[in-house]
């Protein structure tokens, strides 16, 4: 999960279109890092998925597979449509 987090950090311009009511991208990425640090992987996973859906990030195939594997291993399932 840290691989995709780093790729997202390298694209601050992707967060330019976030709705006004949402936290800044930098704050959301910091929160995700904190959730990973305290082993709250489910919250981190759901937040990453939400950001990936809301922002035009470009992620490598390797990072996408890592996120998919994390979801499968931990049994995470997004409730998003």
């Amino acid at each position: 999960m840290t691989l995709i987090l780093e790729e997202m950090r390298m694209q601050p311009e992707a967060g330019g279109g976030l709705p006004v009511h949402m936290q800044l991208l930098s704050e959301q990425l910091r929160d995700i890092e904190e959730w990973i640090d305290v082993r709250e992987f489910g919250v981190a996973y759901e937040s990453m998925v939400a950001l990936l859906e809301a922002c035009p990030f470009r992620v490598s195939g390797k990072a996408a597979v890592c996120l998919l594997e994390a979801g499968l291993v931990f049994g995470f399932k997004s409730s998003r449509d």
Side-chain angles (χ1 to χ4, degrees), residues 4-73:
I4 199 158
L5 181 62
E6 289 307 313
E7 287 191 15
M8 292 168 80
R9 271 204 178 105
M10 292 171 34
Q11 302 174 58
E13 68 282 356
L18 283 173
V20 179
H21 68 276
M22 291 181 75
Q23 284 181 310
L24 296 173
L25 177 63
S26 59
E27 294 169 345
Q28 291 187 56
L29 295 175
R30 186 187 63 237
D31 288 347
I32 292 169
E33 182 177 32
E34 289 176 9
W35 290 322
I36 291 171
D37 289 345
V38 297
R39 306 183 65 79
E40 288 289 341
F41 300 122
V43 177
Y45 176 85
E46 188 68 29
S47 296
M48 282 184 182
V49 169
L51 275 177
L52 289 168
E53 289 177 345
C55 301
F57 286 104
R58 294 173 93 46
V59 295
S60 67
K62 182 177 181 177
V65 169
C66 287
L67 187 62
L68 177 61
E69 286 176 339
L72 292 172
V73 168

